[in-house]
Structure formats: C-alpha cells, structure tokens
Amino acid sequence: MTDTTPSDVAIRREPRFAWFRQLLRDPLGCFGLVLVLLIIFSAIGADLIAPHDYKALDVKSRLAGPSWDHLLGTDNLGRDTFSRILHGGQIALYVALVSVGSSLLLGLVLGMLAGYGPTWLDNLLMWFFDSVRAFPVIMFALAVITVVGPSLETIIFVVIVTTTPGYARIARASTLATKNTEFILAERSLGAGVPRIMFSHLVPNIVQPLLILASMDIPVVITIEAGLSFLGLGVKPPTPSWGSILNDGYGFIRNTPWLVIAGGIPLIITTLGFTFLGEALRDVLDPKLKKER
C-alpha cells in the first residue's frame, strides 16, 4: 500500500475552470467568445443602448444614409435602423435560446430512453426521429405556418420539432456506449433505480457533445427565424427582426444599400461567433477530436 501526500492529490486533481483557460488560449475561440458576448450584451441592453425608439416614425428622414444621428441610416418609414437591429437581437436570441434549450432537454431525455430502454422503445423512437428528419425544415415550417399562422411561438415549435432528433440521436449513441460500463453495472448491482442511473450517472457523461452541438445550432436557428421573417412568416410588424429588416431593405437596395448591410452584419457576426466558440469548445472538452484532425 502506497502513501499519497496531499501534494500528489493536488497534482492529479484537474484545476477548476481549466477548460475556460484553455478556451482563452485559443485565438479563434477567444474571438468567438468576444463576438458572442457582444451580441448578448447588445441584445440585453438594447433599451439602454438604442439612441431612438425603434417604432418612432420620421418620414422626413426616410431612407437616410448613416450619420451621427442615425448610425446605420433609416428605413423606408424613417425608423432608426441601428435601434431596430439592437431590438431585433432580442428576438433572435429569444427564439434561439428557447428553442435550442428545449430541443436539447427533450432530445436528451428521448435519447436516453431509446438507448437505455427496451428494444421495442428504441425502434419506435428511432422510427419517429427518422420520420421527422425526412421533412425539409423550410417545407415543414411553411406547412405549419399555413395551418397555424405566423407567430414567434410557431417558429419556436417548428425549430424544436426539427432539431430534437439530432440531439436525441447523439444522446442515444452516448447512452449505448456508456450503459454497460463498470460504474453503471456497479450502480445497478447495488440496486440503483433507472431514474437515478440515467440522471445521476448518464447525463454528466453524455451532455458535453450536446452542449457543443447546441452552440453550433444557435446561429442556424437564428438564420431560420430571419429567413421566415424575411418571407413575412415570422414576427409581425412593427416588432423588429433581422430578417424583416433585410426584407425592408431589399425593395430599396438600388436607392440605399444600408438596410441590407445593416440586416446582414448581425447575422454574419452571430454565425462567426457561435461557430468559432463551438469549435473551440469541442477541442477543449474533447481533446481526442483535436488530435484526430
């Protein structure tokens, strides 16, 4: 029997927040984190940062170019574009966080049930996942919106239904790879119930890849919401959306390109930020993937 000193234990113990320090050492990950924080803080503080009321009309200043009073110009009704961009970020983040968070939780539960449950339940859930994924997202969204009507809640419902199978498949695969490991078998032999095994032992071991996927799905969901709003199937006026701002600018692109540029810039920043952050988190949380690349 060997003695272990406190210093040896301290050496073997992984420092707290070590993953965050590794993330900050990654230039692209740090850049992505800065962009994500910029989007989040600008959306949260939109009421304080916005120089004008996003609903205020100024017909005399319609389609004006950038100036000190209107940093990104005005739209066809004279509304300040910069203020509408900031408040549109609130809509984008709300849809993304609610739908992606709900999809992650639902997919986690269904995936664990499929991987840990009986074979008939696994086959039934996999059939359901394959059936849902067979529908193109846009076509499914158009069908649902035609029946229910355009609204923010409809977009969230469409995103949850179409993205849950992806999380469920990953959770199922991780559950199948984990459920026969020694510590799970030991817990089962000690009489631990299925809920305890699933939520106390399986969840901590399978949630990391789901979080990485969620960080990369956020810009995809924001793009879906912007695309539907561009088509007039998203939020209703005068509520601002990056997609509706793009739609407003498309009709006047020959007169002033600022509306299209202003509506496209936040989509580009959001996509780059969450993609770089997701890639960095994948390398930090699963170093094996970094070695294989």
Side-chain angles (χ1 to χ4, degrees):
M1 182 176 180
T2 58
D3 297 331
T4 57
T5 62
S7 59
D8 295 331
V9 176
I11 292 175
R12 287 196 295 267
R13 184 181 301 160
E14 186 177 356
R16 184 176 297 181
F17 301 116
W19 64 272
F20 186 69
R21 298 190 187 96
Q22 295 178 18
L23 177 65
L24 294 180
R25 285 196 289 266
D26 187 341
L28 286 181
C30 191
F31 179 63
L33 180 62
V34 171
L35 293 181
V36 169
L37 292 177
L38 175 64
I39 292 294
I40 293 175
F41 287 137
S42 63
I44 293 176
D47 294 328
L48 299 176
I49 302 174
H52 300 277
D53 183 359
Y54 71 90
K55 295 182 292 185
L57 304 180
D58 186 3
V59 180
K60 294 181 179 179
S61 301
R62 63 187 300 268
L63 298 178
S67 63
W68 288 113
D69 191 28
H70 302 286
L71 296 179
L72 294 177
T74 59
D75 63 5
N76 57 315
L77 297 177
R79 297 172 297 188
D80 183 63
T81 304
F82 181 64
S83 301
R84 292 180 62 78
I85 288 291
L86 292 177
H87 285 85
Q90 294 179 339
I91 300 296
L93 287 182
Y94 172 75
V95 172
L97 294 179
V98 172
S99 56
V100 171
S102 301
S103 300
L104 190 151
L105 292 176
L106 186 58
L108 176 63
V109 173
L110 293 178
M112 288 193 301
L113 289 176
Y116 199 81
T119 304
W120 67 266
L121 180 60
D122 184 19
N123 294 333
L124 179 63
L125 289 175
M126 291 302 297
W127 172 82
F128 174 73
F129 298 153
D130 293 339
S131 300
V132 172
R133 291 178 64 88
F135 289 95
V137 176
I138 298 299
M139 296 300 296
F140 179 75
L142 292 177
V144 173
I145 291 174
T146 301
V147 175
V148 180
S151 67
L152 213 56
E153 291 74 17
T154 304
I155 296 177
I156 293 174
F157 171 76
V158 169
V159 172
I160 292 175
V161 171
T162 55
T163 57
T164 295
Y167 295 100
R169 279 184 167 275
I170 294 178
R172 172 184 176 271
S174 300
T175 300
L176 290 174
T178 308
K179 71 176 186 178
N180 291 323
T181 54
E182 294 182 356
F183 72 94
I184 296 293
L185 296 177
E187 280 288 326
R188 194 184 304 169
S189 64
L190 293 175
V194 174
R196 174 178 173 82
I197 292 176
M198 291 178 63
F199 293 101
S200 297
H201 299 284
L202 288 179
V203 170
N205 287 278
I206 67 178
V207 74
Q208 286 186 355
L210 297 181
L211 293 177
I212 297 172
L213 178 62
S215 66
M216 295 184 175
D217 275 351
I218 288 178
V220 176
V221 173
I222 290 176
T223 304
I224 292 174
E225 183 275 326
L228 293 175
S229 296
F230 179 84
L231 297 174
L233 303 175
V235 297
K236 299 178 180 179
T239 304
S241 169
W242 294 341
S244 61
I245 293 173
L246 281 172
N247 186 29
D248 293 339
Y250 181 76
F252 302 93
I253 192 171
R254 294 183 180 274
N255 299 327
T256 172
W258 298 113
L259 280 175
V260 175
I261 296 174
I265 286 176
L267 289 172
I268 295 173
I269 292 176
T270 303
T271 301
L272 290 177
F274 280 101
T275 301
F276 289 156
L277 181 60
E279 290 280 349
L281 286 175
R282 184 181 66 178
D283 294 340
V284 169
L285 298 178
D286 195 350
K288 294 180 181 179
L289 293 175
K290 187 175 183 178
K291 294 178 181 179
E292 293 174 357
R293 290 193 303 172

Coordinates of all heavy atoms in Angstrom, one line a residue, residues 36 39-40 92-101 104 159 163 167 211-225 242 267 270-271 273-275 277:
V36 N -19.8 36.6 -29.3 CA -21.0 36.1 -28.7 C -21.4 37.0 -27.5 O -22.6 37.4 -27.4 CB -20.8 34.7 -28.1 CG1 -21.9 34.3 -27.2 CG2 -20.7 33.7 -29.3
I39 N -22.9 40.2 -28.9 CA -24.3 40.0 -29.4 C -25.3 39.9 -28.1 O -26.3 40.6 -28.1 CB -24.5 38.7 -30.2 CG1 -23.7 38.9 -31.6 CG2 -25.9 38.4 -30.5 CD1 -24.3 39.9 -32.5
I40 N -24.8 39.2 -27.1 CA -25.7 39.0 -25.9 C -25.9 40.3 -25.2 O -27.0 40.7 -24.9 CB -25.1 38.0 -25.0 CG1 -25.1 36.6 -25.7 CG2 -25.8 37.9 -23.7 CD1 -24.4 35.5 -24.9
A92 N -34.0 37.4 -31.9 CA -33.2 36.3 -32.4 C -32.7 35.5 -31.2 O -32.8 34.2 -31.3 CB -32.0 36.9 -33.2
L93 N -32.2 36.1 -30.2 CA -31.7 35.3 -29.1 C -32.8 34.6 -28.3 O -32.6 33.5 -27.8 CB -30.9 36.2 -28.1 CG -29.5 36.7 -28.6 CD1 -28.8 37.5 -27.5 CD2 -28.6 35.5 -28.9
Y94 N -33.9 35.2 -28.2 CA -35.1 34.6 -27.5 C -35.5 33.3 -28.2 O -35.6 32.2 -27.6 CB -36.2 35.6 -27.4 CG -37.5 34.9 -26.9 CD1 -37.7 34.6 -25.6 CD2 -38.6 34.6 -27.8 CE1 -38.8 34.1 -25.1 CE2 -39.7 34.1 -27.3 CZ -39.9 33.8 -26.0 OH -41.0 33.2 -25.5
V95 N -35.6 33.4 -29.6 CA -36.0 32.2 -30.3 C -35.0 31.2 -30.3 O -35.2 30.0 -30.1 CB -36.3 32.6 -31.8 CG1 -36.5 31.4 -32.7 CG2 -37.5 33.5 -31.9
A96 N -33.7 31.6 -30.4 CA -32.6 30.6 -30.4 C -32.5 29.9 -29.0 O -32.4 28.6 -29.0 CB -31.3 31.3 -30.8
L97 N -32.4 30.6 -28.0 CA -32.2 30.1 -26.6 C -33.4 29.2 -26.2 O -33.2 28.1 -25.7 CB -31.9 31.2 -25.6 CG -30.7 32.0 -25.8 CD1 -30.5 33.0 -24.7 CD2 -29.4 31.1 -25.8
V98 N -34.6 29.6 -26.4 CA -35.8 28.9 -26.0 C -35.9 27.6 -26.8 O -36.1 26.5 -26.3 CB -37.1 29.7 -26.1 CG1 -38.3 28.8 -25.9 CG2 -37.0 30.8 -25.1
S99 N -35.7 27.7 -28.1 CA -35.9 26.5 -29.0 C -34.8 25.5 -28.9 O -35.0 24.3 -28.7 CB -36.1 26.9 -30.5 OG -35.0 27.7 -30.9
V100 N -33.5 26.0 -28.8 CA -32.4 25.1 -28.7 C -32.3 24.5 -27.3 O -32.0 23.3 -27.2 CB -31.1 25.9 -29.0 CG1 -29.8 25.0 -28.7 CG2 -31.0 26.3 -30.5
G101 N -32.6 25.3 -26.3 CA -32.7 24.7 -24.9 C -33.7 23.6 -24.8 O -33.5 22.6 -24.2
L104 N -32.6 20.5 -26.7 CA -31.6 19.8 -26.1 C -32.1 19.0 -24.9 O -31.8 17.8 -24.8 CB -30.5 20.8 -25.5 CG -29.2 20.2 -25.0 CD1 -28.1 21.2 -25.2 CD2 -29.3 19.9 -23.5
V159 N -38.8 24.8 -34.9 CA -37.4 24.5 -34.6 C -37.3 23.4 -33.6 O -36.4 22.5 -33.8 CB -36.7 25.8 -34.1 CG1 -35.3 25.5 -33.6 CG2 -36.7 26.9 -35.1
T163 N -35.2 20.0 -34.7 CA -33.9 19.8 -34.2 C -33.8 18.8 -33.1 O -32.7 18.3 -32.8 CB -33.3 21.2 -33.7 OG1 -34.2 21.7 -32.7 CG2 -33.2 22.2 -34.8
Y167 N -30.3 15.9 -31.4 CA -29.8 15.8 -30.1 C -30.2 14.4 -29.5 O -29.4 13.8 -28.8 CB -30.5 16.8 -29.2 CG -30.1 18.2 -29.5 CD1 -30.9 19.0 -30.2 CD2 -28.9 18.7 -29.1 CE1 -30.6 20.3 -30.6 CE2 -28.5 20.0 -29.4 CZ -29.4 20.8 -30.1 OH -29.0 22.1 -30.4
L211 N -24.0 20.0 -25.7 CA -23.7 21.4 -25.5 C -22.9 22.0 -26.6 O -23.2 23.1 -27.1 CB -23.0 21.6 -24.2 CG -23.8 21.3 -22.9 CD1 -22.9 21.5 -21.6 CD2 -25.0 22.2 -22.8
I212 N -22.0 21.2 -27.1 CA -21.2 21.7 -28.3 C -22.1 21.8 -29.5 O -22.1 22.8 -30.2 CB -20.1 20.7 -28.6 CG1 -19.1 20.6 -27.4 CG2 -19.3 21.1 -29.9 CD1 -18.0 19.6 -27.5
L213 N -23.0 20.8 -29.7 CA -23.9 20.9 -30.8 C -24.9 22.1 -30.7 O -25.2 22.7 -31.7 CB -24.7 19.6 -30.9 CG -25.8 19.5 -32.1 CD1 -25.1 19.6 -33.4 CD2 -26.5 18.2 -32.0
A214 N -25.3 22.3 -29.5 CA -26.2 23.4 -29.2 C -25.6 24.8 -29.6 O -26.3 25.6 -30.1 CB -26.7 23.4 -27.8
S215 N -24.3 24.9 -29.2 CA -23.6 26.2 -29.5 C -23.5 26.4 -31.0 O -23.6 27.6 -31.5 CB -22.3 26.2 -28.9 OG -21.4 25.2 -29.5
M216 N -23.4 25.4 -31.8 CA -23.4 25.5 -33.2 C -24.7 25.6 -33.9 O -24.9 26.1 -35.0 CB -22.6 24.3 -33.8 CG -21.1 24.3 -33.4 SD -20.3 22.9 -34.3 CE -18.6 23.2 -33.7
D217 N -25.8 25.1 -33.2 CA -27.1 25.2 -33.7 C -27.8 26.6 -33.5 O -28.7 26.9 -34.2 CB -28.0 24.2 -33.0 CG -27.9 22.8 -33.7 OD1 -27.3 22.8 -34.8 OD2 -28.5 21.8 -33.2
I218 N -27.3 27.4 -32.6 CA -27.9 28.7 -32.3 C -27.8 29.6 -33.5 O -28.9 30.2 -33.9 CB -27.2 29.3 -31.1 CG1 -27.6 28.6 -29.8 CG2 -27.5 30.8 -31.0 CD1 -26.9 29.2 -28.6
P219 N -26.7 29.8 -34.2 CA -26.8 30.6 -35.4 C -27.7 30.0 -36.5 O -28.3 30.8 -37.3 CB -25.3 30.7 -35.9 CG -24.6 29.5 -35.3 CD -25.3 29.3 -34.0
V220 N -27.8 28.7 -36.6 CA -28.7 28.1 -37.6 C -30.1 28.4 -37.3 O -30.9 28.8 -38.2 CB -28.5 26.5 -37.6 CG1 -29.5 25.9 -38.5 CG2 -27.1 26.2 -38.0
V221 N -30.5 28.4 -36.0 CA -31.9 28.7 -35.6 C -32.1 30.2 -35.9 O -33.2 30.6 -36.4 CB -32.1 28.4 -34.1 CG1 -33.4 28.9 -33.7 CG2 -32.0 26.9 -33.9
I222 N -31.2 31.1 -35.6 CA -31.3 32.5 -35.8 C -31.5 32.7 -37.3 O -32.3 33.6 -37.7 CB -30.1 33.3 -35.3 CG1 -30.1 33.2 -33.7 CG2 -30.1 34.7 -35.8 CD1 -29.0 33.9 -33.1
T223 N -30.8 32.0 -38.1 CA -30.9 32.2 -39.6 C -32.3 31.7 -40.1 O -32.9 32.3 -41.0 CB -29.8 31.4 -40.3 OG1 -28.5 31.8 -39.8 CG2 -29.9 31.6 -41.8
I224 N -32.8 30.6 -39.5 CA -34.2 30.1 -39.8 C -35.2 31.2 -39.5 O -36.1 31.5 -40.3 CB -34.5 28.8 -39.1 CG1 -33.6 27.7 -39.6 CG2 -35.9 28.4 -39.3 CD1 -33.7 26.4 -38.9
E225 N -35.1 31.8 -38.3 CA -36.0 32.8 -37.9 C -36.0 34.0 -38.8 O -37.0 34.6 -39.2 CB -35.8 33.2 -36.4 CG -36.7 34.2 -35.8 CD -36.4 35.7 -36.2 OE1 -35.2 36.0 -36.2 OE2 -37.3 36.5 -36.4
W242 N -34.2 40.7 -37.7 CA -33.1 40.9 -38.7 C -33.6 40.5 -40.1 O -33.2 41.1 -41.1 CB -31.9 40.1 -38.3 CG -31.3 40.6 -37.0 CD1 -31.4 41.8 -36.5 CD2 -30.4 39.9 -36.2 NE1 -30.7 42.0 -35.3 CE2 -30.0 40.8 -35.1 CE3 -29.8 38.7 -36.2 CZ2 -29.2 40.4 -34.1 CZ3 -29.0 38.3 -35.1 CH2 -28.6 39.2 -34.1
L267 N -26.2 39.0 -38.6 CA -26.3 37.5 -38.9 C -24.9 37.0 -39.1 O -24.6 35.8 -38.7 CB -27.1 37.3 -40.1 CG -28.6 37.6 -40.0 CD1 -29.3 37.5 -41.3 CD2 -29.2 36.5 -39.0
T270 N -23.1 36.8 -35.6 CA -23.6 35.8 -34.8 C -23.1 34.4 -35.3 O -22.7 33.5 -34.5 CB -25.1 35.8 -34.8 OG1 -25.6 37.1 -34.4 CG2 -25.7 34.7 -33.9
T271 N -23.1 34.2 -36.6 CA -22.7 32.9 -37.2 C -21.2 32.7 -36.9 O -20.8 31.6 -36.4 CB -23.0 32.9 -38.7 OG1 -24.4 33.1 -38.9 CG2 -22.5 31.5 -39.3
G273 N -19.4 34.1 -34.5 CA -19.1 34.0 -33.1 C -19.4 32.6 -32.5 O -18.6 32.0 -31.9
F274 N -20.6 32.1 -32.8 CA -21.0 30.8 -32.2 C -20.3 29.7 -32.9 O -20.1 28.7 -32.2 CB -22.5 30.7 -32.3 CG -23.3 31.4 -31.3 CD1 -23.9 32.6 -31.5 CD2 -23.4 30.9 -30.0 CE1 -24.7 33.3 -30.6 CE2 -24.1 31.5 -29.0 CZ -24.8 32.7 -29.3
T275 N -20.0 29.8 -34.2 CA -19.2 28.7 -34.8 C -17.8 28.6 -34.3 O -17.3 27.5 -34.0 CB -19.2 29.0 -36.3 OG1 -20.5 29.1 -36.9 CG2 -18.4 27.9 -37.0
L277 N -16.8 29.7 -31.4 CA -16.9 29.3 -30.0 C -17.2 27.8 -29.9 O -16.6 27.1 -29.0 CB -17.9 30.1 -29.3 CG -18.2 29.8 -27.8 CD1 -16.9 30.0 -27.0 CD2 -19.3 30.6 -27.2

